[in-house]
Amino acid sequence: MNSDILQLTENYVSAINSSDLRGVLAMSHETFTLTDAENFINGKRSWGQFLEGLFENQISFKAEDVLVKDRLSALHFTLKVNKESFKGVDLIEWNNNGQMLRLRAYVEKIT
């Protein structure tokens, strides 16, 4: 199972990096939630609207490390949005069908 979750996490990184809205939403459950310091997004539709706004920018999303335990992946990443750079960790909870249930993001701007 860990290798499946690792592959799903890598697919998520690839979809975000290529601004693949349909791809990200296909791996998101209807009741998906995202929580970070500035946002609480509840539901796949709201998640899609959030992503549409993000994907209007030029982005680069790179996995630095991925750790997997059971149905949870911890993704250490770097993100560039236009000219701003960020680093952070996404904690992603996956269901048995390979869909994201919850994403908790811890992000800080690199100055």
Side-chain angles (χ1 to χ4, degrees):
M1 176 181 288
N2 282 358
S3 63
D4 295 341
I5 299 299
L6 177 61
Q7 185 61 57
L8 289 168
T9 305
E10 290 172 351
N11 293 348
Y12 165 73
V13 171
S14 178
I16 292 288
N17 197 44
S18 61
S19 298
D20 180 4
L21 179 62
R22 293 181 93 176
V24 177
L25 291 179
M27 61 181 71
S28 304
H29 190 269
E30 289 297 322
T31 62
F32 173 86
T33 59
L34 174 134
T35 307
D36 67 22
E38 297 179 9
N39 300 288
F40 176 75
I41 295 169
N42 190 20
K44 191 173 185 175
R45 176 177 285 178
S46 297
W47 173 228
Q49 292 169 341
F50 175 83
L51 291 171
E52 284 176 343
L54 176 65
F55 292 162
E56 289 176 358
N57 301 284
Q58 185 168 356
I59 65 170
S60 171
F61 188 63
K62 181 180 176 200
E64 300 295 334
D65 295 298
V66 178
L67 303 173
V68 174
K69 179 160 173 65
D70 300 323
R71 283 186 270 136
L72 182 69
S73 57
L75 167 63
H76 173 226
F77 65 86
T78 55
L79 170 66
K80 189 167 187 175
V81 180
N82 297 324
K83 296 184 184 210
E84 294 184 306
S85 296
F86 304 87
K87 63 181 177 180
V89 174
D90 282 347
L91 298 177
I92 306 170
E93 183 181 340
W94 301 88
N95 69 13
N96 288 331
N97 296 322
Q99 292 181 306
M100 295 185 293
L101 294 173
R102 251 181 298 291
L103 190 155
R104 291 178 297 266
Y106 303 90
V107 183
E108 72 176 276
K109 188 172 180 178
I110 301 170
T111 55

